């Protein structure tokens, strides 16, 4: 049992580290100099011009939304760290602890909020004309996995809560 | 809980110590204490049978229903 937990912990660490390295690489490839260009534009821009029609402002919105997408990906990786917490609890024998139930709920929250936020942000990206957005195409790809996974974690959280109550009842049966 | 455990009353009547009863019915003193204090959620028929056997009494002597 302990060997399996150790293997799962190593796999989880591998997933977290590779996700972080992919995210950092994507951030490295992202052109952050555009933010400086926007700041320079903002200083020189004519304040009487309508904000939304400005080409630079639209461009800036694209970078802000892209940065938000990076943030949500980071948040999703943070969600993976809860697996380590669950594995640690299992290792010490607290299978149905409150901590595990809360961790499963938290992972469910992160997965569903990530899926919903990414969907909204990609829609916004499409609306400012920087990407192609097809609602059904989005659902076909990663969101079809993340939303059911999030729901599965909510179900697991509820199951663990019930299991804890049953375990307590069993312990108090003389 | 509306079910009251009168185990301490029966133990006093039989002049038996909790520790001795725990040994006879083969449960820990901690579990017997949980049972006596009314914190137990349930009691197994086998435990009830062993208690009745050890104290020479009926289940109704140990368990009592009290209306809230």
């Amino acid at each position: 049992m302990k060997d399996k937990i150790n293997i799962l912990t190593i796999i989880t660490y591998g997933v977290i580290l590779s996700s972080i390295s992919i995210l950092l690489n994507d951030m490295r490839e992202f052109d952050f100099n555009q933010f400086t260009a926007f700041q320079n534009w903002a200083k020189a821009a004519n304040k009487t011009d309508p904000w939304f029609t400005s080409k630079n402002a639209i461009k800036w919105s694209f970078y802000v939304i892209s940065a938000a997408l990076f943030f949500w990906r980071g948040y999703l990786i943070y969600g993976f760290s809860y697996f380590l917490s669950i594995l640690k609890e299992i290792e010490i024998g607290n299978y149905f602890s409150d901590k595990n139930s809360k961790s499963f709920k938290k992972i469910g929250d992160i997965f569903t909020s990530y899926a919903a936020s990414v969907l909204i942000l990609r829609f916004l990206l499409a609306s400012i004309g920087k990407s192609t957005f097809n609602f059904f195409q989005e659902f076909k790809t990663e969101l079809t996995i993340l939303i059911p996974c999030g729901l599965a974690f909510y179900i697991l959280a509820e199951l663990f809560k019930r299991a804890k109550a049953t375990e307590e009842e069993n312990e108090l049966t003389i | 809980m509306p079910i009251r455990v009168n185990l301490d009353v029966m133990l006093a009547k039989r002049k038996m110590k909790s520790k001795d009863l725990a040994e006879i019915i083969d449960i820990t003193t901690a579990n017997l204490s949980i049972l006596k204090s009314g914190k137990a959620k349930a009691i197994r028929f086998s435990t009830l049978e062993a208690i009745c056997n050890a104290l020479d009494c009926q289940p109704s002597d140990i368990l009592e229903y009290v209306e809230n």
Side-chain angles (χ1 to χ4, degrees):
Chain A
M1 179 73 181
K2 203 172 179 182
D3 285 344
K4 280 183 183 172
I5 297 292
N6 286 339
I7 292 165
L8 284 171
T9 307
I10 291 164
I11 292 170
T12 310
Y13 268 117
V15 168
I16 291 171
L17 290 174
S18 55
S19 306
I20 290 170
S21 64
I22 291 166
L23 177 66
L24 289 176
N25 186 52
D26 286 351
M27 285 173 82
R28 191 176 58 84
E29 286 175 0
F30 189 77
D31 186 9
F32 282 102
N33 289 332
Q34 293 292 328
F35 286 108
T36 320
F38 169 73
Q39 281 175 342
N40 293 336
W41 164 81
K43 279 175 196 164
N46 184 0
K47 305 288 181 199
T48 54
D49 279 351
W51 196 84
F52 279 105
T53 56
S54 162
K55 199 182 170 186
N56 274 336
I58 290 170
K59 208 172 187 180
W60 184 77
S61 304
F62 164 71
Y63 285 104
V64 167
I65 293 166
S66 301
L69 281 170
F70 284 136
F71 165 77
W72 279 106
R73 276 174 65 188
Y75 190 54
L76 185 69
I77 295 167
Y78 168 70
F80 294 156
S81 69
Y82 280 100
F83 289 121
L84 294 172
S85 158
I86 293 166
L87 287 168
K88 202 171 183 181
E89 283 289 298
I90 292 170
E91 197 177 4
I92 56 173
N94 295 337
Y95 305 108
F96 306 117
S97 66
D98 275 336
K99 204 176 170 186
N100 276 355
S101 173
K102 280 176 187 165
S103 295
F104 276 124
K105 196 181 172 297
K106 194 83 186 166
I107 296 168
D109 285 343
I110 290 171
F111 273 45
T112 46
S113 58
Y114 171 83
S117 307
V118 166
L119 200 70
I120 293 164
L121 289 171
R122 284 193 182 157
F123 173 75
L124 288 173
L125 269 182
S127 66
I128 60 170
K130 283 278 181 179
S131 84
T132 52
F133 180 86
N134 185 324
F135 187 81
F136 294 104
Q137 191 58 41
E138 293 296 332
F139 262 98
K140 270 184 201 167
T141 55
E142 58 188 305
L143 300 178
T144 34
I145 301 164
L146 285 172
I147 292 172
C149 275
L151 293 174
F153 283 119
Y154 282 135
I155 293 166
L156 272 176
E158 197 57 37
L159 277 175
F160 269 62
K161 208 188 277 177
R162 293 281 167 90
K164 191 183 184 289
T166 309
E167 191 185 40
E168 273 176 3
E169 204 170 293
N170 193 41
E171 276 171 3
L172 287 172
T173 298
I174 313 297
Chain B
M1 212 161 84
I3 299 291
R4 186 189 289 166
V5 180
N6 293 322
L7 195 58
D8 45 355
V9 177
M10 281 311 294
L11 280 168
K13 276 184 186 171
R14 299 289 185 259
K15 291 175 182 155
M16 192 187 279
K17 286 179 183 171
S18 298
K19 198 183 162 191
D20 296 334
L21 179 66
E23 267 176 29
I24 294 166
I25 64 173
D26 197 26
I27 64 167
T28 62
T29 48
N31 275 347
L32 192 65
S33 174
I34 290 169
L35 194 58
K36 275 170 67 183
S37 62
K39 284 177 187 167
K41 296 254 181 185
I43 181 165
R44 289 190 187 92
F45 278 140
S46 57
T47 311
L48 192 59
E49 187 187 324
I51 292 170
C52 289
N53 193 29
L55 296 175
D56 189 27
C57 63
Q58 292 298 312
S60 58
D61 296 325
I62 296 158
L63 302 175
E64 183 189 359
Y65 174 73
V66 185
E67 267 188 74
N68 279 336

